[in-house]
Structures are given as structure tokens and as C-alpha cells.
Amino acid sequence: MEGKEIALKIDGRQVSAKKGMTLLEAARSVGINIPTLCYHPALTPFGACRICSVEVTRKGKSRVVASCVYPVEEGLVVKTRSDRIMRERKMLLELLLARAPKAKAIQDLAHEYGVGETRFKTEDEDNLCILCGLCARVCEERMGRSAITFVGRGIDKKIDTPFHIQTEDCMACGACASVCPTGAIKLEDITKHRILPIPSEFDQGLDGRSPIYISYPQGVPNVPVIDRDKCVHFLTGECGICQEVCPAGAIDYEQEDEITEIEVGAITLCPGFDEFDPTSLFNYGYSKYPNVVTSIEFERMLSASGPFEGKLVRPSDRKPPQRIAWIQCVGSRDESLGYGYCSSVCCTYAIKEAIVAKEHVPFEVKETIFFMDIRTQGKDFDRFYERGKGEEIEFVRAKVYGVEEVDGTGNLNLKYSGDDGKPSLREFDLVVLSVGLRPSVESVALARRLGIQLNKYGFCNTGVFSPVETSKPGIFVAGAFSGPRDIPETVMQASGAAGSAAALLAPARNTLTTVKEFPPEKDITGEEPRIGVFVCHCGINIGGYVDVPQVTEYTKTLPNVVYAEDNLYTCSQDTQEKIKTAIKDHSLNRVVVASCTPRTHEPLFQETIREAGLNKYLFEMANIRDQCSWVHMHEPQKATEKAKELVAMTVAKARLKKPLETLSIPVTHSALVIGGGVAGMMSALMLAEQGFEIHLVEKDGKLGGMARRIHYTVDSGEVQAFLLDLIKKIEEHHGITVHYNAQVVNAYGYVGNFTSEVMKHGDKAVEKIVHGATIIATGAQEYKPREYLYGEAPNVLTQLELEEKIVERSSDIVNCNNVVMIQCVGSRDDERPYCSRVCCNRAIKNALMLKEIKPDMNIYVLYRDIRTYGFYEEYYQEARQKGVIFLRYDIEDKPRVSHVQDDGRSLIRIESRDPILGERVLIDADILALSVAMTPSEGAEETAMLYKVPLNEDGFFLEAHVKLRPVDFATDGVFVCGLAHAPKSIGESIAQAKAAASRAMTVLSKDTIMAEGIVASVDEDICAGCGICESVCPYGAIVVNKERKIAEVNAALCKGCGTCCAACPSGAVQQRGFTTEEISAMLEVALGV
Amino acid sequence: MSMIDNVQNLAREWLDSKEVDAIFGLKEQDGYIAPYLFTDVGELSCLVISNQYRLCYTCRPAKENILSLMLQTEPNAKIGVVVRGCEERALIELAKRGQVDLKRIKILGVACSKEDAEECRCEKPYPGNLVLGEKVEGVSGDENVNALLSKSLPERRAFWKHEFSKCIKCYGCRNVCPMCICKDCKMEQELYTETGWLPPGIPMFHFIRFYHISDRCIGCGECEKACPVDIPLLTIFKLLQKDVKDLFDYEAGMDVEQEEPLLTTLDETPMREEVMDVGV
Amino acid sequence: MDKKGFEPKILAFCCNWCAYAGADLAGVSRMQYPPNIRIIRVMCSGRVEPELVVKALSLGTDGVLVLGCHIGDCHYISGNHRTVKRMAILERILGYLGIDPARVKLEWVSAAEGARFAQVVSDFTSKIKELGPIPLQELRP
């Protein structure tokens, strides 16, 4: 090692420093904070501001020196906060205040040192420059430019370019502005170049970023990247500051892109989508008017971590908008742009944005959404639409054809024509363009490389019945790359794709895994707590603000702490070895690490102590970085005190910690699937093909469910052929037992170990089936209408009935001249306030079929909103081209129907009001087809009770999380798919069935499931069996034993939330790892009891 | 016919018709009144109703109160119980907590008189399952409650300081409370309130009961009556009863199928938004 | 009591999945807030017993924050539903006893809301500074 160690004393502490270090560096290395203004670790010290002055004593003589330039000397005694120094700093601050009264950094420092006012005369109220010279030094030393420097002398000295001329030398890199402590540098005074902030990709360019940046705060991995196109080092070879200041030495300019070859058995494509760039739509004025933003930009504007810090203000003048308009279908449903499809998600997100914006602002905001059809076809989305209306969001059915700025105000005039057909004009403060989804250029290129087929829009082509498969075997697809879709559909498809890949690779399962071996756990029963504490400097992240050695010394005084040390990085590999050695050498039976957050680092340390033979729950963490040093950077003393307290609190908890058992539950490798429709069969088959035993329970004598009545899909899928093939596969598979005419009558158990009792209709005997996972696919049924003469007149049919007649080519069809279809029969009303999703497509499908049979047939579709989401939009357009007439009706004024006789023929007269024409329309139809709602199947409620899973208000199964866990329940090991979950198309059912099978696989592919150690436990001596715990448990994991009148915990079901523990009035229920005693000990320490 | 005659007659009818196997009520003998299980029709002339012995069926500890013991020793018997409004509410709340089995109890609900109601400051002096007697309206408004609400925060502190300082930690309030069914009570646990001191920890000691009973209180006022130093405990319970009604539209002791609002989700028992933010 | 220079003691119970992560994010983003707060991590805001909150106040905490997931986002489905109800009752009891209910506060802070965390803590700290030290001696003989 170069440089010998030099011993000196700083503020009474013995410090050892390397020769050549400055006093400032030596002090900072041990967490002693000295204020600086003209200092930068990457620049030559200058000693200009003198705020870093310290008092040094040598051989009895003391003097004041600038610590940033004064080198360490053997035996030196340094005082950084002596009375003399404090006096001097105060004086300096008074002078600085006079020079730059408005500089925040100066005000903050003055406040810290108790300097209120300056006694000196202020020359220039607006001056910010304190002549620290950082800008000039960084420009010269690191950027190699010298574009700015000190000019003038004495009181005229200032920072400027030579001859006060903007120069070519300046490359507008902004280094000077970034190092300036007071914000005095104005780049536009210096450079000749146009100053363009580097747009932050995450903030949609609404904000800037530096050339080295972290993409976004929650990115994984959360590390910075360098933008080589913008970085001065990569452009000129200069700078290199980041490399120099990174204490971890993590910056490597030599890194190059590497091509790595990975051998895999399957590929899943999820490259996502791009949003449509509305710049090309000149009439909307995007990128011309600052207050026209895209919906994605608006998302960022609403975000608390966004460019405006969550304050809803508009870009032009940062004023809160009072009137906001959303324009729907921007880059969607527009074949002239090449985007003829519907982007499916924009209606819902626009409503969401409008509702969230309302919540965001304390003032009244008038919101208007301009739309063509509101397409909230997703599960529960129609309720959301209704809620939007309830919150007084105005919905205007109109095409907006122009946006123009109102002179000088930044406000925008919207030109549109609504239902009345007349051009209208309205002024708004902010306009949001609900931009559509389109495939990214990169993903199209990727598809080409992989040789998979794309559709005409460039999205990945999938089959009607193979929604996660690409055209190439072994390559799967998920998410918006296969078409616009929302989050739950994306997640479902992703699970389905993962499952399909796993099914393909089933024989290889676990062949590449290695199991980690741990030494046996030490029994610590009866031992006094012996706690070891490791305090982390985290480089300067903690050490720079918190006096880590002081914290460590303090820790040693805490009861039961037998060992404490500080580490530069406690998480480093060598420290793990140190921890293990310390456990051995000092017989530690509890370990505390004071560093960062347990959310990221607890598992690492738990593994370390487990490797040393300690139960992993004998570990506890104090967060002295994220929740201390980083958030109290300007108050080092207080931060140090807080860190001490945080460690003491943690030690107090650690003292009480007990080893916890993680229960290992064996798994039965079979699944029960309830419902033999398409969804049930698909998931059964997928699991059976991987060798899991499957019991399929079907209430009918035949498989197929609702699909038996569907013959084709709008996108020309041959349903019956597909269905027959699927049924055949199921019946022939030796691993699948189908229980026909049967139902589940009783069920108990938990993940990995369910028992279901299945009974055949009319039979008394039950068959007990033991299974590890349960898939609920009980389907749905067609609503039997009570309205529109259904059941009274033979020529009033449901769409499914019409479909059957079409397939039969029945004479009713062939002889028919006028067909009327009414949409939303039993859907989207007060009784069933949900959209049945498939009916618009089904109606259009039948209409197109009818047109094919008899092109001159008159077909009228009476609708409220046509919801041909995604690529189905094409068929809507096709139907219109082929002359199908679409007439809108209002829910308040539903069509009226009556019998009429014409020429001895019995017709149905439909009377409706067309809101566009504003007139009544009378049609005498040969056939009236009703697009009826889909309702939950009859047995749903019973099944829900048996497996203790919830239904939503409409009677469909309610998943664990509507966005992120669309096939799971809170009850582990039970999954849902198909129509039982919500109305959906066959393809969507299949994707969800695969997802459910995939989720079931995560259980079935294991031999055992490890339960969490942090679970509830019951002190049976205290428990009165009142069942309060049982009532509050969301998982049914704690139940009062009726015989014993004592609550019992099923550790396999318990997720360890502790809600029961908080509810228990006697304290009989405790949450392991978070007992009342442990929490109490922490707060007692925090309060100094 | 007087009220008691009606009760005796109905009890006789129930016993005769084997509708119940026994009648549980108060028996007066030699001038003493005590709970008694009537199985013999002949003894029913000693059946009385008395305001002094309210809620005696349900005194803690729950698993050992008379009613629950009886239901344990006679596992197949169906028992008729003579109850007032507060007692019925107590039985319903106890049934929710698995302490009694209502299927095995037939309630002979009797209404209290106006005087009884006034004495107990009872807001609901009749059972839901009223079998005998005329319903009279309960008292509305409460002087103590109004007095407390008119006080400022410092005045309230001064008031409770005075009241709680009198506490001799006899646990009478808890012991008599039909809703306090725990075997081991947080009021006695060192972890919550320091033991060995008089008066016991302010406000922790009393807070424990206020909070635990908040959504279960049936307003019987036994706690306050039992208090030897006259701490006005009912004042807070009355306020909480009203809060629970305002917040959750819930009243304790009404319906055995209705879970206490603190135990349910917001979907099951919503909380009124407008009262979600509390100000003083 | 002189409120000037008063440094309150503030405890915060933070749900591991949201507010604790939000506090971490505030840290990562170097958002500064007053150092009076001590965070106690719990797995769910539903773990917070009102008794413990009162214990903290009894021991001299000047304010207690309970920070959980927004309704609908609870990691344990509905733990926070119980929290909001319990806190409503707790606040009322405190008020009746003469302790300002503003000394306890329930807020929802998601893992993504680092700025909100810092804001909530700063606001609460100033509020408690305004209220002054908890007047417990006025309740005790």
C-alpha cells in the first residue's frame, strides 16, 4: 500500500488517515461533517470560501486553516466546531448573505448556524454568485474547455466568458451549472449552442435528466446508466467525475455491449407496445401547443414522483387547469392512419385519469371526455364509467376535428360536431389526447429475426384458439404485442404463456437446479441473548452523515450486545464471512445489521446467519440509511442520534427474538377442475399433459359447456371442430378422470392438500378426491330475457338461438327480409350494471353471416355503444360497409316492440328513437335477435362457499387482485378461469385457462410448500374462543375449534399479516416475529423508558 | 293481571307444552332472590323479575357463567330464559362470540317499565323479541354526555384526571360487564399497563375497556353501577355507541348474524365517508 | 409549556409493503424531512393495536402515525379496512378523554409515494410541534 498512515485527532476522536489526505477528507472519512461551498471532491481544492475553516493545534500553537487544502499531519489536533470556528463561520455567513442574499444554500447554512440577518450592505439583491470558482474549475479541469473563468479584479471580479461573448468553446454540457452551489450559472449566457435539456424518458420528456441517470426510482436493478450519446466523457474523453467519486468503483467506461448465447427450450415474447405519436395529426396541435399532452404524459403529470411533483399544473404556465378535455381514439379506429383497430384500454384509462385528476386537485375542475363509443368492456369497468358520470365527468359523443390555441392564453379551443351534427366550439385549459397502442419498431424487427408472423398492423399473430402461441412452435407471446389489452389480460396471458412454455419443457423440470445445503440449526433454548451488531458505512451513504464509529461504540453499551463492529459495506462478500466468524468467535445467538432496508437486504443477511447455524429469524435490521442518513443530510448530529436510537430499538427487539419454524407442507400432485367447458378442459389438459393427475367435475352428461352452442367466431374460428378435438383429447387422456353429472358437495383442506367430496346426481355416495390445487371453471349462462316479447313470439330469439338457426340454414332465415338486433339486453342496467363483453361481436358475427347468406337482407343493430374492442373493430367496419345499419338508442328510452301482422305473416314492430336523427324509427322485423347478458352460473355461489372464495356483486368470482392476480384467490391453491370469472371470448377463456393451469403448476410442481415463519400463534391458556380473530382473518387461517373453544392457526394458510393479533382483546393471539412484546420493547426504547 | 303473573303463566305454558325443558329466571325464596332453573311447574309461583339482578346470567368469566355452564351440563336441553332488553342484547352479542348457543335458548322477552328505564338511563328498555309487556320509549339524551361534550380538551383532561384518580383497580367494571369475556385481560398485563400502582395507568387502564367494548357495548350501564368510586364510565360508552351507529350504522345486540363493524371489511360494513375524518 | 424549540417524539408504524417502502423511496430520492420520527415496521397496518398506540402516547410520544396501503391495495386484502375503523374509534376515545385526536394520524402511502411519505411526515411533525408536548401530566395525579 502506498502512503503511510498518519494519526491525528479530530474533535477529540483518534483518526487515522493516509498521507496526502486533506483534513476535510480525513474528517469526512469518519463521518465528521464540515460545511463546504467551494469544495468538490473531483476538483483541485481552492480554499476560496473559507467556510470549511477548522482550528488546528500543534505544539500548543493554534491557528485557523481551510480544511479543504490543509494536509493531515502526524499528531495534529483539529477542532471543527470550536467557539472560534463557529464565530468565524457566522461572520463568513453574514458576509456571504450580504453578497448573495437569495441563495438557498447560503440561507440554509445561515439558518443552521443561527445567523438571522447580515449587518453588511447588500450590493445586488439578485446576485447569486459567491465566487467559489467551482464552475470555472470544472470547466477547465474536467471538461477541458475554460469557456468561463474569473474576469475583473477586486470588487469587479466575476465569472464570465472572455469578453462577455457567448462562445463556441462551451459545449453546453451544463457541468458548471450542476456544480454551482447557489444556482448562479445561466447556461444561456455562456454558450452559443442551443440549450436542450436531455428529455427524461420516464417523464415523457416533461422533465430533463443528466447524462448519467437512474431510469426511474423503482427500476430493477436500481442502478444508474450512462447515456453515451450525451456523456462528455464519451464525447471528448474529458470529465470522468462519476468514476472518481463512486466509492464502490462501479463505473467502468470500458464496458461494451456483449453478446451472450443462452440455450433455451422456449421463448416468450413480451416486448410491449409504443404509444401512438400524435405529432402527425396537425389538427390536434400536439407538439405545437404546450398544453396539448398525451395521456401518458398526463399520467406522469399526475404522479407524485413526476415532473410537477404530483401537482396538477399545465406545462405552459404551471398553472392549475380548471377545464380539461380528453379526446379519445387518437391513433385508434382510424384506418387512414393505418391504425384501424381499437386500442381497447383508452376509454377506461381516460376515465381513470379524469377521476384521479379530480381527486388530485383541491379546486373544482371541469372535465369532459370526447368519445365515439365508450368501450369499458373489461370486468367491472362499466361500473367505473358510471362512477365517472356520478363524479360529474361530462361525456360528449363527438368527433373533435380541430384544436387551436386561444391567442396568448395557452388555452385551447376544441372544434367538434356532436350528436346534433352542428359544429361546436369550446375552450379548455388543457387537452389530453388518449393515444392508442401500436407495436414498437423494435418488436417488429425482433419478430422478423425470429421468423414469426405478424398481422397487418404489425402485432403478433395468434390463433383464435391458441392465444399465447406464435406461428412458430416453442415461441410464445404475452401482453400488448399480440394486440392491445389491459393489465389483467396481459397478466393472464403472461401466466398462460409461461405455463405453455413450462408444459413444453416439463421433462426438463428441475434438471438444472442445485439445492443449497445448510448446516444444522443451533439450539439456543435457555441461552441468554448474545447479540452481535454490524453497523454499515455504506461508503459515504451512511458514513458521510452519520458518525458510524460513534454509533458502533454506543451500540456496545446496549444490554446483551456482546460484539459490535462497523463495516465499509456490511453487505459485501467479505463482511458475510466476518459475520459468520463473529457468530462463531463470540457465540452470538442474535445478529443485528444497521444499514439499509430489510426489504432488499434482509434475505442476504438471513442466509448468512443461517450458514453460520443460526435460525434465520434471529436476525433483525435497523434502517439507518434510507430512513436516516439520506433523509437528514443537513442535520448530521441529529441523524447520528437518530441512528443510535434506531439501533437501540432494533437491539431491543432482537433481544426478544425467538427461532421460528418454517412449516414444510407436502403437496398432492393432482388437481380438481370444476366445470367441463372450454376453460376447464383447457386447464385440465395442460396439467394432465405434464403428468399431473386431474379430476374434472362436470355437472352435465356432456363436456363443452357454453361453447357447444357456438359454431363459429367473428374472426372465423371453427368452434365445433376445435371443441370436438378438445373433448376427444380429454376423454382419451389416461391422466384425466371426468366425473359426469356430478358436483362437489363438500370441500376442506388447504393448498397442496385439498379434499373434495364429489357426488353424482341422484346418487347418495360421495367420492373423496384428494388434490393439491383447485381450478374453478364453472362458466356462465345466457340471461333469459323477460323483455321484448321473448318467449311470447317465436321470432324473438337470443343471439345464440339465431346462430343455431343460421347454422341450420333454417327457412326462417332464408325467407327473412328484415332482422333487428337489440344490444345490451339485461346488461349495463340497474340489475346487472356490467357489460357482457361478447355481445357486440356476436351480433356483428351473426349480421355478417346473414349478409353472406342473403346480401340484400336488411339488418339493423340497435346499440348503446358498439364495443368491438381490439381487432374486432375490423368486423364492425366490414358490417357497416356491407350495409348493416347501426342505430343508437338511449337507456332512458329503450326500443319498444309489438306484434304486427303483415300479409298473414307475424312480424315484430320495433320502435326506437334515433338520437342522431332525433326522430322515431319504425321497423317491422321478421326476426328480432336479442343480445342478452351473460349471467353467473347457478352453482357459483355454492362453489364459492365450499372453497371459501369470494364472488363480486354481480355473482362472478372475485380474483385476489383485479390487476395483478387475475386468476388467483386470496386462498392459496384455488384458481379461476373462463366465464366464471367474467364474460369473455373463447380465445380469452383459453388464455385464462392456461394461466390458471400455470398458476396451479407453481403448486403442483413442488414436493413441499414452505410456509412463512412469521405466522400467528395462539396462547391456549389465555384464549377464550371468542372468534374475533377468525372474523378478521382474510385467509380463514385461524379458526375457533368448536369442541375446545380455542382458536387454532393453520400455518399453511396464515400469511402473517398480524391483523388477528391486533384484534385479539386478551393478547392470546400473537404474530411471531412481531409480537406485542417485541413491538412494545421497540417503542419503549424509542421513548427512552 | 300483573306483569309477573303473565310471565309465570307463559313460563308454565312453555314447560307444560314441553317447548322448553326448563325456564331460567330469578327465584325469590325466603326474601332472597337468586338465579334459578325452573323445571317444576309448581315452583313457578316463586319466579320473579327484579331490576337488581340484571344480567346475572352472563357474568364473566364467560365459559363459567351460569347459563353457559347449564348449557354444558345439559347438552340436549332447550331452555327458556326470562330476559329484558339489555339481557337479550347481551345474549346476542355472546352468541356472536360463541359463548352461548341461541338455538338452545327460547327467549321470554319482557319490557321494562318507564321507571326502570330511567333508573338505568336505558335508551332501549325492551327486547327485540318482546313477548310480554308494553314497550316504553327509553331515555334520550344524557346529562353526563352533554356535560362532557361541552368541555374543552383541557377541561376533559382535568375531568378525567379527577375521575380516574379515584380508581382503586377493583376490576368491578370489567367483572360485571357481560361483554368482557376474556380469560386473561390486558388490563392486568404488565405489557400494557404497569401493575402495582394506584391509580392504575391513565389513560391506558380504562382505554383498554373503552376500546374493546366500543362496538359491542349494549349500554346496560352495569360497569358504572358497579364502580365503588362512581367513575362515570357509561358516559364514554354512550358516546361510542353513538359513534358506532353514526360511522357504521350498527347497533350492538340487534342481530346475531350481524358482525361487529370493527371485525368486518369496508365492503361488508362500510364506514361513512363524511365521518371518516375526525375533528374535535 | 414553551413550544419554542420543542422537538417532538414521533412514532410511525409503517406497513412493510407500502409506507415502509415509501419511506425507503423518500430516502433513495434524498427527500429531507424532520428527524423526529422513529419508524416501527409492521407487516400490515392491520397489525397496529390501538392499545399500542395509546401505550406509546402514555410513554410520552407526542404523536403517532399509522401508515398503510391505500384501500384496495392491501397486501393482505383487507387488513387496512380494519385499521381505518380501529383508528376512527381510537381517535374518538382520545378526544373524549381530552387528548387531541390529531396526535394520531392514519395515512395511506404507497411504495411509489416517496414524496408523499416525506410530505406526510413533515406535515405531521409541524402539526405536533404546533400542538406542543403531549399534556399527559394533566391526566395524572
Side-chain angles (χ1 to χ4, degrees), chain A residues 333 347 371-375 397 863-866 876:
Chain A
R333 299 180 67 184
C347 285
F371 70 99
M372 297 206 272
D373 294 280
I374 285 291
R375 294 190 170 170
R397 195 183 293 266
Y863 72 100
R864 289 167 59 197
D865 291 283
I866 285 292
Y876 178 32

Side-chain angles (χ1 to χ4, degrees), chain A residues 773-846:
Chain A
T774 312
I775 294 178
I776 296 174
T778 49
Q781 56 198 22
E782 205 181 19
Y783 164 66
K784 287 276 165 260
R786 293 183 295 266
E787 54 265 63
Y788 300 125
L789 298 175
Y790 181 80
E792 290 171 41
N795 44 352
V796 178
L797 308 169
T798 67
Q799 289 286 2
L800 279 180
E801 287 162 356
L802 175 65
E803 183 171 343
E804 266 156 40
K805 279 193 191 287
I806 294 173
V807 171
E808 289 163 14
R809 295 289 190 274
S810 132
S811 59
D812 295 349
I813 298 290
V814 183
N815 299 330
C816 163
N817 292 321
N818 294 314
V819 173
V820 172
M821 300 180 178
I822 302 180
Q823 300 304 105
C824 295
V825 178
S827 296
R828 300 181 63 196
D829 58 14
D830 290 341
E831 199 182 335
R832 271 172 297 276
Y834 60 87
C835 166
S836 293
R837 192 177 172 103
V838 299
C839 340
C840 284
N841 294 329
R842 194 168 277 168
I844 287 168
K845 165 184 87 174
N846 284 342

Side-chain angles (χ1 to χ4, degrees), chain A residues 921-938:
Chain A
V921 180
L922 275 188
I923 310 162
D924 289 342
D926 301 290
I927 292 177
L928 171 63
L930 305 178
S931 292
V932 298
M934 225 187 264
T935 61
S937 73
E938 271 162 24

Side-chain angles (χ1 to χ4, degrees), chain A residues 497-548:
Chain A
S500 296
L504 185 70
L505 305 177
R509 182 168 290 145
N510 294 336
T511 50
L512 293 174
T513 47
T514 45
V515 181
K516 181 159 181 167
E517 299 284 343
F518 288 104
E521 261 181 36
K522 237 168 49 183
D523 181 11
I524 63 154
T525 339
E527 283 180 22
E528 266 286 296
R530 292 179 62 80
I531 305 172
V533 184
F534 298 82
V535 188
C536 183
H537 285 263
C538 195
I540 55 161
N541 283 309
I542 299 171
Y545 315 97
V546 165
D547 186 340
V548 172

